[in-house]
Amino acid sequence: MTAPAAPTISITYCTQCQWLLRAAWMAQELLSTFSTDLGQVALVPGTGGIFQIRYDGDLIWDRKADGGFPDAKALKQRVRDRLDPGRDLGHVDRP
């Protein structure tokens, strides 16, 4: 029996809006926090004001539906809730 594959995160960002740096920063935050627990964090160029973050293909953040961009805390909590719900994120979980 083999271990399940590590999850992948994809961040689709609008190239017209020049959101690459924001997407790259969020990818860096996720990789810094979850390191080897993630299999991949991919940056996916798009257009039309898109900014979506997917966890194994499931949408966990949509700029239009969620009313803007996630801050690092909200994004890390959403990923943690899928990856390892019991995991303590330290100061991120403190009010």
Side-chain angles (χ1 to χ4, degrees):
M1 194 169 188
T2 60
T8 62
I9 304 288
S10 66
I11 302 173
T12 305
Y13 64 94
C14 179
T15 58
Q16 297 166 316
C17 303
Q18 299 183 4
W19 289 336
L20 172 60
L21 291 178
R22 183 184 304 264
W25 172 74
M26 290 184 185
Q28 176 187 331
E29 286 291 316
L30 292 175
L31 288 167
S32 294
T33 299
F34 300 106
S35 60
T36 57
D37 293 331
L38 295 175
Q40 176 181 5
V41 177
L43 300 177
V44 182
T47 58
I50 192 168
F51 196 91
Q52 294 180 336
I53 302 172
R54 296 182 180 275
Y55 181 104
D56 277 345
D58 296 331
L59 187 63
I60 62 170
W61 191 275
D62 179 32
R63 183 188 66 82
K64 292 178 182 174
D66 291 302
F69 300 98
D71 60 12
K73 176 180 179 175
L75 180 56
K76 289 177 184 183
Q77 288 172 333
R78 288 191 186 193
V79 169
R80 182 269 320 270
D81 291 348
R82 299 285 304 269
L83 178 67
D84 183 5
R87 183 179 192 156
D88 180 20
L89 292 176
H91 72 279
V92 171
D93 282 333
R94 311 284 185 284

